[in-house]
């Protein structure tokens, strides 16, 4: 499989609300393989969403197994048409993004979420996520709604930093 080119801010496609997937076919699964390859090739990447490679469908990958230290997780997940149905608690954490490669920032996210989605074959999925995995899922679902972590910074002045190389 080939890695795809990642769009970077301020590309307008990153600000677009994505369309629901209604065709669960071989072409979808082939695209997902390319998306997974792209995510695994990203430095420190723990997730990616289809609009980051110019595909405006509601598809994302959440992979907390790639975290720098072990965290509770459901393994690598491919989420089609994900929807956060409940959330609880709040925590501030530093986030980065493949589409904003030079910066990180502090963002407030829910500590625990409930999420429903479909797998690449259209089967319904449900997850309760907490901690870092919940943060990744919220970040990726935001991409599907045209929202970047930059839009959620507590303070652009105080909380946006150049990424440490």
């Amino acid at each position: 499989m080939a890695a795809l080119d990642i769009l970077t801010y301020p590309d307008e496609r990153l600000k677009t609300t994505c369309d629901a997937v209604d065709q669960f076919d071989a072409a979808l699964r082939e695209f997902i393989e390319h998306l997974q390859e792209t995510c695994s090739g990203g430095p420190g990447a723990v997730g990616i969403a289809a609009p980051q490679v110019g595909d405006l469908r509601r598809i994302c990958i959440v992979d907390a197994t790639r975290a720098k230290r072990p965290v509770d997780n459901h393994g690598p997940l491919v989420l089609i048409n994900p929807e956060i149905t409940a959330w609880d608690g709040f925590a501030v954490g530093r986030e980065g993004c493949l589409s904003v490669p030079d910066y990180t920032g502090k963002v407030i996210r829910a500590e625990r979420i409930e999420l429903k989605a479909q797998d690449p074959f259209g089967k319904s999925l449900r997850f309760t996520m907490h901690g870092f995995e919940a943060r990744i899922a919220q970040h990726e679902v935001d991409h599907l709604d045209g929202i970047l972590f930059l839009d959620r910074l507590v303070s652009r002045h105080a909380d946006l930093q150049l990424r440490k190389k």
Side-chain angles (χ1 to χ4, degrees), residues 35-95:
L35 193 63
Q36 288 172 313
E37 179 73 21
T38 305
C39 184
S40 66
V46 292
I48 193 168
Q52 291 181 269
V53 297
D55 188 306
L56 300 178
R57 293 181 287 175
R58 297 188 72 79
I59 303 166
C60 66
I61 294 170
V62 171
D63 189 357
T65 66
R66 295 175 47 92
K68 290 180 181 174
R69 56 186 175 278
V71 296
D72 288 342
N73 67 81
H74 293 90
L77 300 173
V78 174
L79 303 172
I80 314 293
N81 301 323
E83 180 185 340
I84 296 170
T85 58
W87 56 90
D88 186 47
F90 293 99
V92 176
R94 184 155 295 282
E95 295 184 16

Side-chain angles (χ1 to χ4, degrees), residues 7-128:
L7 303 179
T8 56
Y9 176 81
D11 192 299
E12 281 301 310
R13 290 170 285 183
L14 295 169
K15 302 297 283 175
T16 304
T17 301
C18 294
D19 296 321
V21 172
D22 57 10
Q23 194 94 342
F24 294 86
D25 57 11
L28 171 70
R29 290 184 287 280
E30 182 178 347
F31 169 74
I32 289 167
E33 288 180 29
H34 290 291
L35 193 63
Q36 288 172 313
E37 179 73 21
T38 305
C39 184
S40 66
V46 292
I48 193 168
Q52 291 181 269
V53 297
D55 188 306
L56 300 178
R57 293 181 287 175
R58 297 188 72 79
I59 303 166
C60 66
I61 294 170
V62 171
D63 189 357
T65 66
R66 295 175 47 92
K68 290 180 181 174
R69 56 186 175 278
V71 296
D72 288 342
N73 67 81
H74 293 90
L77 300 173
V78 174
L79 303 172
I80 314 293
N81 301 323
E83 180 185 340
I84 296 170
T85 58
W87 56 90
D88 186 47
F90 293 99
V92 176
R94 184 155 295 282
E95 295 184 16
C97 181
L98 293 171
S99 292
V100 187
D102 297 329
Y103 292 92
T104 63
K106 289 183 182 176
V107 178
I108 297 172
R109 299 278 187 193
E111 290 182 303
R112 188 190 66 78
I113 63 169
E114 293 179 21
L115 181 141
K116 69 177 185 177
Q118 293 169 282
D119 74 7
F121 295 90
K123 178 184 170 202
S124 293
L125 304 170
R126 289 194 172 274
F127 299 98
T128 298

